[in-house]
Amino acid sequence: MRSLASLFAIVLLATSVSAFVSIPLTRFQRLGAYLKGLPDADRARASFLKNRASTGATTVPATNLVYVQYTTSVGISSPPTYYNLVVDTGSSNTFCGTGITIPTGETVNVTYGLGYISGIEYLDQVTLAPNLVIINQSIGDALSYADFEGVDGIIGVGPVILTQGTLSPDTNATILTVTNNAVSQGLIYDQVLGIYFAPANNSSDTNGEITYGSIDSSLYEGELTYTPVTKTFPSAYYWGINITSATYGNKIVFLKSTAGIVDTGTTQVLLADDFFDVYRSSIPGATLDKSTGLITIPPSSIPYMQPLNFTIGDTIFSMDVAAQLIPTDQNEAWGGVAGKQYGVVANLGTLSGQGLDFIIGQKFMERYYVVFDADNNCVGFAFMNNTFSKYME
Ligand SMILES: *[C@@H]1O[C@H](CO)[C@@H](O)[C@H](O)[C@H]1NC(C)=O
Ligand SMILES: *[C@@H]1O[C@H](CO)[C@@H](O)[C@H](O)[C@H]1NC(C)=O
Ligand SMILES: *[C@@H]1O[C@H](CO)[C@@H](O)[C@H](O)[C@H]1NC(C)=O
Ligand SMILES: *[C@@H]1O[C@H](CO)[C@@H](O)[C@H](O)[C@H]1NC(C)=O
Ligand SMILES: *[C@@H]1O[C@H](CO)[C@@H](O)[C@H](O)[C@H]1NC(C)=O
Ligand SMILES: *[C@@H]1O[C@H](CO)[C@@H](O)[C@H](O)[C@H]1NC(C)=O
Ligand SMILES: *[C@@H]1O[C@H](CO)[C@@H](O)[C@H](O)[C@H]1NC(C)=O
Ligand SMILES: *[C@@H]1O[C@H](CO)[C@@H](O)[C@H](O)[C@H]1NC(C)=O
């Protein structure tokens, strides 16, 4: 098991466009044969053209894997071989460890906040669901990678601009994402992604749902609060938004409109170092543990902890105390030691004022339904049944 420090997304402000993802684990399969499936792909296309039926939206399950990432099963090639790919709204390339068919003549290299993946870019069929089969999807066949153990690849559902600069020799090209292709192939009508995550109660809990092409109103409560994608760079390259204030109890973490990103591929909730310091110093005895990079909270302070509130649009989205804490039976999975209480809020590693001052990651999204709407260039949030759940060990 990797140490948790490696789970932090690193903000690469030096490169104009970089991507985020935070990963641990152990398996990166290479199954299936190269150059298999070209005829299959053609047959699939013929079949697709004949049976162009679509519901316009499809919901697929997602698995909370070892508490720190969500994967979804994606079929590559035809007939499909299924792989567990990390669902990443903070990058936009699709990578898989194998099995792919039509070379494009391009190589691809994506640098993430943590690690990189590089390989050869291919075209093949991608099955997101039985009624959501994308043909001619450009996919990176990962030949080398760093920090992507334990999963088979990534499905990048961020903005298409994040793919620019990843190909070579065609360095200026962008790569149509699965969402782009699903729309252009008539499989979904709207470039909308609805994400339902939930706190996991074991290390492989298929408790998430991803809706491609729509939102699923049965998964949230009340109204969605939409906020526009920010115009502040570098957050604007991603699913970036402005949050207008953040408080911890009666302490002000920030009180001016501040840009950051919403990212399924980052596990924690990260705040610019100065913002984080307000939070940490408001919890008596809390320290940033050097070996894990996690905040540690003395048990004596827990009864006095306060909600961490973010104002988005006109609504307060609160992380209650349980939402801020890591259940102690997960300590080992997070690289921690038994008997300590760790938290999910951590520091970004840079001071505020740089245009990317927070990352709203998976742990926030386990509490709120999130909608990524590329047609209207906005992100929506809603309360759900897990928002104030008291899950805590
Ligand atoms: C891909 O990029 C990473 C980070 O910039 C670098 O370390 C790696 O060598 C590159 N791989 C290839 C094959 O270019
Ligand atoms: C497949 O996609 C590539 C770009 O990704 C495009 O150039 C090509 O025309 C497409 N082929 C078909 C058959 O749609
Ligand atoms: C990429 O685009 C820029 C301007 O948009 C241009 O100056 C440059 O020559 C292009 N590079 C390639 C390799 O096409
Ligand atoms: C696991 O979580 C689900 C909801 O996410 C809940 O219904 C179930 O009771 C939990 N199981 C255990 C053993 O805690
Ligand atoms: C994990 O929890 C889910 C939901 O509670 C359950 O369906 C699944 O079987 C559990 N898996 C293991 C390995 O315990
Ligand atoms: C929350 O809603 C989801 C989706 O409808 C459902 O699967 C889950 O069991 C619910 N959990 C609780 C604790 O009600
Ligand atoms: C978003 O936040 C940035 C600071 O990160 C600020 O410069 C910008 O004006 C804000 N945008 C809006 C629309 O409030
Ligand atoms: C934070 O959110 C909680 C839960 O909605 C609420 O009770 C509390 O008043 C909020 N605190 C502030 C300072 O807005």
Side-chain angles (χ1 to χ4, degrees):
M1 189 66 59
R2 300 170 48 74
S3 83
L4 189 73
S6 61
L7 294 175
F8 286 94
I10 295 159
V11 185
L12 298 175
L13 296 171
T15 50
S16 63
V17 179
S18 61
F20 286 89
V21 104
S22 313
I23 311 288
L25 308 185
T26 51
R27 187 176 52 108
F28 202 96
Q29 291 184 342
R30 298 193 60 88
L31 299 171
Y34 285 82
L35 301 175
K36 174 188 91 172
L38 176 54
D40 286 332
D42 286 347
R43 275 194 294 278
R45 178 171 174 79
S47 158
F48 162 75
L49 293 172
K50 276 196 285 194
N51 305 304
R52 212 177 173 88
S54 167
T55 59
T58 300
T59 297
V60 300
T63 300
N64 191 320
L65 196 59
V66 203
Y67 313 109
V68 298
Q69 63 190 332
Y70 266 90
T71 62
T72 188
S73 181
V74 174
I76 307 285
S77 201
S78 174
T81 302
Y82 283 86
Y83 299 93
N84 292 321
L85 305 190
V86 174
V87 179
D88 188 19
T89 60
S91 69
S92 308
N93 293 66
T94 295
F95 269 106
C96 189
T98 185
I100 318 183
T101 48
I102 309 168
T104 61
E106 304 277 343
T107 61
V108 61
N109 191 359
V110 181
T111 304
Y112 297 88
L114 180 74
Y116 69 89
I117 302 184
S118 77
I120 296 168
E121 196 72 8
Y122 282 82
L123 297 171
D124 207 341
Q125 181 175 304
V126 170
T127 301
L128 298 179
N131 63 338
L132 186 41
V133 180
I134 298 160
I135 57 164
N136 196 33
Q137 174 65 44
S138 190
I139 308 164
D141 185 7
L143 299 178
S144 68
Y145 58 90
D147 291 314
F148 282 90
E149 295 144 69
V151 295
D152 300 322
I154 292 189
I155 181 160
V157 287
V160 67
I161 186 68
L162 292 176
T163 63
Q164 194 170 40
T166 65
L167 289 181
S168 177
D170 203 356
T171 52
N172 274 11
T174 56
I175 303 169
L176 294 175
T177 66
V178 287
T179 317
N180 297 151
N181 282 325
V183 169
S184 69
Q185 293 173 22
L187 302 168
I188 61 175
Y189 306 140
D190 301 314
Q191 295 195 60
V192 174
L193 186 74
I195 301 248
Y196 173 89
F197 286 168
N201 53 31
N202 64 46
S203 62
S204 180
D205 193 349
T206 305
N207 63 6
E209 303 202 39
I210 300 172
T211 303
Y212 295 101
S214 188
I215 57 180
D216 184 341
S217 58
S218 74
L219 296 175
Y220 62 87
E221 295 166 358
E223 299 293 311
L224 282 155
T225 297
Y226 281 101
T227 195
V229 169
T230 188
K231 294 187 161 51
T232 301
F233 286 92
S235 294
Y237 286 122
Y238 303 90
W239 285 108
I241 61 166
N242 272 55
I243 290 181
T244 47
S245 72
T247 59
Y248 173 79
N250 60 9
K251 299 280 174 49
I252 291 165
V253 177
F254 60 84
L255 199 53
K256 56 179 195 297
S257 185
T258 300
I261 69 169
V262 187
D263 181 19
T264 58
T266 293
T267 306
Q268 295 173 276
V269 172
L270 304 182
L271 301 174
D273 292 5
D274 44 329
F275 297 159
F276 174 76
D277 219 49
V278 175
Y279 173 77
R280 188 199 50 74
S281 63
S282 302
I283 304 172
T287 54
L288 197 56
D289 178 59
K290 288 278 183 292
S291 69
T292 56
L294 293 170
I295 190 171
T296 53
I297 296 161
S300 59
S301 290
I302 293 172
Y304 306 103
M305 282 183 71
Q306 299 293 315
L308 175 62
N309 292 1
F310 298 100
T311 306
I312 304 174
D314 55 4
T315 307
I316 292 176
F317 293 90
S318 182
M319 293 179 73
D320 65 13
V321 176
Q324 297 170 48
L325 297 176
I326 293 172
T328 51
D329 64 346
Q330 298 177 13
N331 283 3
E332 193 191 339
W334 289 74
V337 298
K340 284 199 173 182
Q341 178 64 63
Y342 300 100
V344 307
V345 180
N347 67 317
L348 202 51
T350 48
L351 293 173
S352 68
Q354 300 186 32
L356 199 165
D357 294 344
F358 58 81
I359 302 180
I360 295 292
Q362 176 192 325
K363 290 294 145 188
F364 180 92
M365 297 172 67
E366 290 178 1
R367 304 291 173 158
Y368 293 98
Y369 190 76
V370 180
V371 176
F372 299 93
D373 184 337
D375 290 335
N376 298 300
N377 214 29
C378 60
V379 182
F381 299 88
F383 285 63
M384 61 184 189
N385 59 1
N386 299 309
T387 295
F388 296 113
S389 90
K390 292 296 167 213
Y391 180 73
M392 189 166 63
E393 301 271 312

